[in-house]
Amino acid sequence: MPQTSSLAARGIAVAFDARGGQITRLTITDEGAAISPLHHAPWTEDEVPAEAPPHQRRLGGDFLAAPMGASPAGLHGLAANGTWVPTPAGPGILRAILSGEVQGATLVKELSVSDDHPFLYQRHLFIGGSGSLPVSNHAMISVPNGAKLSFSRKRWFETLAEPLEADPARGRSRLAYPRRSEDPAEFPAADGGSVNLHRYPWGDAHEDFVSAVEDPASRLGWTAVVRPQEGDLFLSLRNARRLPMTMLWHSNGGRDYAPWNGRHRGCLGVEEGAALPNLGLSARETPDPLTAAGQPGLVTLDPMGTVEVRHILGAIRWPAGQAVAGVMLDGDTLTVTGDWGAERKLPIRGGWLGLEDTPAAAAPKKAALDWDL
């Protein structure tokens, strides 16, 4: 049974399931319209094979992947598959603690909202623990009618070491693996051609995963997904010097086995984090190109302190349907600009991502007993 909690402020409502720490619903009211951009898989829990990771039974929304990828606790780790216990918090805040540890760390999730802000602010605190691990949020956007994608400045885009679906009896991947390209508009395809990663969909019946690495000079990392037919825009924001990777999961009918059965379509994963193992070529290099540029390829835990990971998700009306040309933060105002001049100025917690003077290779740490909760 769902173990749900809710969080709301004027203009925004969030639903949270303690199973997997999943944000199941995000509804933002903007210019008189209710926008619910998150995707949900078309199956019921009893259709999912017993051996599948628990989060797959209710796939959708957004959750934390820690560690991202394969794990003894299931794909994307205990954070995505375990149970979170809500704890008391102040107005506009939902806080939960993961049952169990991640590499020895206690993991705290905090979601918060503000009146008239079209954003959900989320942070995760790893208290103690040791070693390093790949970490990412796992937002899934519903794009049944197509989308236009834009990004903050990237160094390159890169696929995994192997296709998600290499066996044609089970499914299909359409990108070339492993490949690296500086131009997302002409990314190498498996058939020798190219695809435009600024558009969704760019192919039929495929399952693909491609990552982008931020320019080291960037501070505000952003991904914008315009849904022209719906007349809206999804935004994902982060501190690019702490989380230098944007990962795109294109799930569009490319898996033929249960529970997918060719019906999981129109899903775009926008996953922001530090997850070097997802770079099929770069992860093999010594030093890898992220480390060489002073960018963290993993999140490193502090046995005597606390390490934070922060994301912002949001959505607004965007009836012009223009691709986003720029996103700029100035104080407590975020300005979104379209490629043909459309513009929105949005209220935001300007200092919340900690963009000012963030060292390129260091994540913020706090004393072990000062959780800043």
Side-chain angles (χ1 to χ4, degrees), residues 165-365:
E165 296 298 337
D167 181 355
R170 290 172 57 82
R172 296 149 302 282
S173 292
R174 304 298 192 189
L175 295 178
Y177 292 79
R179 291 292 189 277
R180 187 163 53 200
S181 174
E182 294 182 359
D183 186 359
E186 295 187 358
F187 195 89
D191 63 5
S194 64
V195 303
N196 183 0
L197 297 178
H198 286 295
R199 295 292 181 267
Y200 184 106
W202 45 260
D204 183 52
H206 66 100
E207 197 81 14
D208 283 283
F209 193 93
V210 60
S211 301
V213 176
E214 199 78 17
D215 186 312
S218 296
R219 291 186 181 275
L220 176 63
W222 56 268
T223 303
V225 181
V226 174
R227 305 192 302 176
Q229 188 162 323
E230 289 81 0
D232 57 34
L233 160 63
F234 168 84
L235 281 169
S236 175
L237 309 173
R238 71 196 194 287
N239 186 322
R241 295 191 172 182
R242 296 175 186 165
L243 303 174
M245 293 175 61
T246 295
M247 293 154 277
L248 303 173
W249 174 37
H250 300 82
S251 188
N252 195 36
R255 286 175 168 156
D256 298 333
Y257 50 92
W260 312 85
N261 297 333
R263 58 182 168 159
H264 193 253
R265 292 178 172 271
C267 175
L268 174 66
V270 178
E271 307 168 27
E272 315 267 24
L276 177 64
N278 287 330
L279 302 177
L281 295 172
S282 298
R284 304 175 185 176
E285 300 174 8
T286 304
D288 68 84
L290 277 78
T291 299
Q295 296 173 289
L298 301 168
V299 170
T300 299
L301 304 181
D302 183 354
M304 301 301 294
T306 300
V307 176
E308 285 190 21
V309 175
R310 296 191 177 205
H311 299 94
I312 299 176
L313 304 181
I316 59 170
R317 282 280 294 157
W318 193 252
Q322 298 174 17
V324 171
V327 177
M328 184 180 69
L329 181 64
D330 183 13
D332 290 333
T333 300
L334 187 79
T335 302
V336 181
T337 306
D339 57 0
W340 286 91
E343 183 179 274
R344 290 289 307 275
K345 291 185 179 293
L346 310 169
I348 194 171
R349 300 177 192 170
W352 195 81
L353 289 173
L355 303 183
E356 294 301 321
D357 302 319
T358 302
K365 298 179 179 179

Side-chain angles (χ1 to χ4, degrees), residues 20-242:
Q22 182 186 13
I23 299 166
T24 56
R25 296 286 176 187
L26 171 64
T27 301
I28 294 166
T29 302
D30 183 49
E31 296 185 341
I35 306 166
S36 298
L38 298 181
H39 169 85
H40 296 88
W43 53 74
T44 60
E45 292 192 28
D46 59 8
E47 294 178 84
V48 179
E51 64 273 15
H55 78 263
Q56 200 176 99
R57 296 174 194 146
R58 47 194 175 273
L59 185 68
D62 183 30
F63 56 81
L64 182 73
M68 188 181 195
S71 162
L75 182 68
H76 299 324
L78 188 65
N81 297 293
T83 300
W84 294 74
V85 180
T87 63
I93 299 173
L94 190 156
R95 185 177 301 131
I97 300 176
L98 179 64
S99 294
E101 296 181 338
V102 175
Q103 291 187 199
T106 297
L107 186 51
V108 178
K109 180 189 295 281
E110 184 181 280
L111 311 177
S112 59
V113 292
S114 296
D115 286 345
D116 302 320
H117 286 209
F119 299 111
L120 170 63
Y121 303 91
Q122 57 176 315
R123 65 174 180 162
H124 293 89
L125 296 88
F126 293 82
I127 302 166
S130 61
S132 299
L133 70 162
V135 172
S136 175
N137 78 313
H138 199 288
M140 288 157 276
I141 315 308
S142 177
V143 284
N145 302 306
K148 301 176 182 179
L149 282 66
S150 302
F151 316 96
S152 49
R153 191 167 58 235
K154 307 300 185 200
R155 298 170 69 187
W156 72 84
F157 289 70
E158 186 170 342
T159 46
L160 301 163
E162 301 288 342
L164 288 180
E165 296 298 337
D167 181 355
R170 290 172 57 82
R172 296 149 302 282
S173 292
R174 304 298 192 189
L175 295 178
Y177 292 79
R179 291 292 189 277
R180 187 163 53 200
S181 174
E182 294 182 359
D183 186 359
E186 295 187 358
F187 195 89
D191 63 5
S194 64
V195 303
N196 183 0
L197 297 178
H198 286 295
R199 295 292 181 267
Y200 184 106
W202 45 260
D204 183 52
H206 66 100
E207 197 81 14
D208 283 283
F209 193 93
V210 60
S211 301
V213 176
E214 199 78 17
D215 186 312
S218 296
R219 291 186 181 275
L220 176 63
W222 56 268
T223 303
V225 181
V226 174
R227 305 192 302 176
Q229 188 162 323
E230 289 81 0
D232 57 34
L233 160 63
F234 168 84
L235 281 169
S236 175
L237 309 173
R238 71 196 194 287
N239 186 322
R241 295 191 172 182
R242 296 175 186 165

